Amino acid sequence: MTALLPAARAWRSALVGLVLAAGLAACDDSIDTPDSLRGTYTLWGALDPTSDVQSIRVVPVTDTIGTTSAAPLPVTVTSTDLQTGAEAAWRDSVVTFSDGSVGHIYRSTFRPAYGSRHRFVVRRPDGSDISALITVPPFVEPVYQTPLLVGGVRYPVLWPGAPQLNRVLVTYTVQETSCALAEVTRELVGTSGPVEFGWQTVIHLAEDDDTIQRIAGGPRGLRRIRITAEVASEDWRPPGGVFDPDVLAEPGSLGNVRGGFGFVGAAYNTLADFVPRLTDLSSTSFLNTAGSCP
């Protein structure tokens, strides 16, 4: 039960931009780069086992920020599946961003297997490497656990074997008395975290009740609940488990690149949805619209 979630992909891109921006915010357009850093690279991106095309950004460390040349980089980029030995070549694709700067996005056509391990390598003309070891998370199918009724209705969902869940979103499909449907989405904060067998999310229906009704503009029926999340490699977990830009701006706080800088992980999008029981809704202000609409 896997689906492509643009919001999760956008979040992943936003994280990369956030970390870069946080690290560069205090710099002028021109900086004095130590000789030891010139000629190295920053790598950003993630492998996706649900996609046939993989993309990683390669950023040369230069004296000037945000004006990377569109000229081809003097590097060779490859990746190797450490289980099968299969090697993939990556090609440079130059893109222009909204601020007018350009970037080098390397792409390769292959689909990494769930649970596989890969070594991503950027080789410089002198034969030295900038590399990252990547572990693709396993395939995860959510398990719906018994609802908890004490202290308000709560829906726990277990994601067995998930090393990490990024940005978990809950979407409530509500129904007006006219039978029209609408969706209310919010981020699940504070009730998602690692457990012994993977990752668990908990929806507090009673706590969300008033918020949903207010956003929806009055009492509504509740037809469906959908959870969307990004299953990510364990090394994606930030220090302290929180994506704090002040912490992430510190060199080495979130990185797995050797010989250079940055982070290359692995992640994919998945979802779980279910229909709430009428008995669960009886303790909330949601209307009983069962059977009243087609």
Side-chain angles (χ1 to χ4, degrees):
M1 183 161 46
T2 305
L4 181 66
L5 303 179
R9 292 190 186 280
W11 172 85
R12 186 194 309 171
S13 300
L15 169 62
V16 171
L18 175 65
V19 176
L20 285 173
L24 302 178
C27 302
D28 295 326
D29 287 343
S30 180
I31 60 175
D32 184 14
T33 306
D35 290 338
S36 60
L37 297 184
R38 292 191 178 97
T40 192
Y41 293 86
T42 296
L43 313 180
W44 289 111
L47 299 183
D48 183 348
T50 68
S51 175
D52 291 326
V53 179
Q54 310 302 314
S55 301
I56 304 292
R57 185 175 181 185
V58 178
V59 184
V61 176
T62 64
D63 290 338
T64 305
I65 296 172
T67 58
T68 304
S69 170
L73 299 180
V75 298
T76 300
V77 180
T78 61
S79 65
T80 303
D81 185 317
L82 299 182
Q83 273 71 46
T84 67
E87 185 174 276
W90 293 65
R91 296 181 181 275
D92 189 5
S93 176
V94 177
V95 299
T96 302
F97 300 110
S98 58
D99 63 357
S101 64
V102 298
H104 295 268
I105 308 296
Y106 278 77
R107 294 189 170 94
S108 185
T109 304
F110 73 97
R111 180 176 291 210
Y114 293 101
S116 60
R117 299 173 72 242
H118 301 257
R119 186 178 300 280
F120 182 84
V121 176
V122 175
R123 180 153 295 166
R124 297 183 291 193
D126 62 3
S128 60
D129 293 342
I130 298 95
S131 65
L133 184 62
I134 310 162
T135 300
V136 180
F139 175 76
V140 174
E141 190 164 3
V143 175
Y144 307 95
Q145 299 176 295
T146 303
L148 307 173
L149 305 179
V150 177
V153 180
R154 287 169 290 163
Y155 294 116
V157 179
L158 178 66
W159 308 74
Q164 165 86 14
L165 287 190
N166 289 337
R167 199 188 180 202
V168 183
L169 301 176
V170 182
T171 299
Y172 296 89
T173 300
V174 296
Q175 180 179 291
E176 302 177 3
T177 54
S178 65
C179 295
L181 299 179
E183 290 188 341
V184 176
T185 300
R186 74 170 191 86
E187 187 169 358
L188 192 63
V189 178
T191 56
S192 174
V195 293
E196 183 178 0
F197 300 106
W199 206 271
Q200 186 184 59
T201 56
V202 181
I203 296 175
H204 289 256
L205 186 59
E207 293 181 5
D208 288 349
D209 186 3
D210 292 340
T211 301
I212 297 168
Q213 302 288 7
R214 184 176 65 255
I215 295 175
R220 298 288 189 271
L222 180 60
R223 296 295 297 270
R224 183 173 294 275
I225 299 175
R226 182 173 72 249
I227 308 173
T228 58
E230 187 177 65
V231 180
S233 50
E234 187 173 11
D235 53 6
W236 204 299
R237 194 173 303 174
V242 178
F243 284 96
D244 184 340
D246 291 332
V247 174
L248 293 175
E250 294 296 327
S253 62
L254 180 63
N256 61 345
V257 176
R258 293 196 172 189
F261 305 95
F263 175 76
V264 182
Y268 64 94
N269 301 294
T270 190
L271 63 84
D273 64 349
F274 56 93
V275 176
R277 303 176 304 180
L278 292 179
T279 53
D280 297 340
L281 299 180
S282 62
S283 60
T284 71
S285 61
F286 287 107
L287 302 177
N288 183 355
T289 56
S292 62
C293 297

